[in-house]
């Protein structure tokens, strides 16, 4: 359990229109990203697993003109704009 003692979470927000998101998402999917609703966020695009198990998932979700990026998708449930 000690390995989880110091975990950093990155959350970024970027204004992005729907056309730009479609292009960005296509590029992400070409790099191995895929939609994953297991984290409770509709439209979450999950990144492929990396070698660092400190970050079990990382990805993006686009909603109403904002692209949210998270190194840990569990944090996204605290973004009020993404709550249903």
């Amino acid at each position: 359990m000690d390995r989880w003692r110091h975990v950093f979470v990155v959350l970024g927000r970027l204004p992005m229109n729907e056309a730009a998101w479609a292009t960005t998402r296509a590029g992400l999917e070409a790099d191995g990203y895929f939609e994953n609703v297991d984290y409770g966020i509709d439209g979450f695009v999950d990144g492929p697993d990396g070698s660092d198990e400190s970050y079990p998932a990382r990805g993006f979700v686009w909603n109403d003109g904002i692209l949210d990026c998270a190194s840990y998708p569990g944090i996204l449930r605290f973004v009020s704009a993404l709550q249903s």
Side-chain angles (χ1 to χ4, degrees):
M1 196 64 142
D2 193 44
R3 68 183 179 154
W4 299 108
R5 192 171 180 180
H6 301 286
V7 176
F8 296 97
V9 177
V10 176
L11 178 63
R13 304 195 86 202
L14 178 69
M16 180 178 284
N17 66 39
E18 191 169 0
W21 169 236
T23 301
T24 300
R25 182 175 177 151
L28 290 169
E29 289 174 346
D31 287 339
Y33 285 71
F34 58 97
E35 187 167 342
N36 185 346
V37 297
D38 292 344
Y39 299 102
I41 302 295
D42 290 337
F44 180 72
V45 179
D46 196 358
D49 289 339
S51 59
D52 185 352
E53 64 183 50
S54 298
Y55 298 99
R58 67 236 177 266
F60 303 87
V61 63
W62 182 88
N63 185 45
D64 290 333
I66 301 292
L67 180 66
D68 287 288
C69 168
S71 61
Y72 172 68
I75 198 76
L76 293 172
R77 67 181 158 190
F78 299 105
V79 176
S80 60
L82 298 176
Q83 296 174 1
S84 46

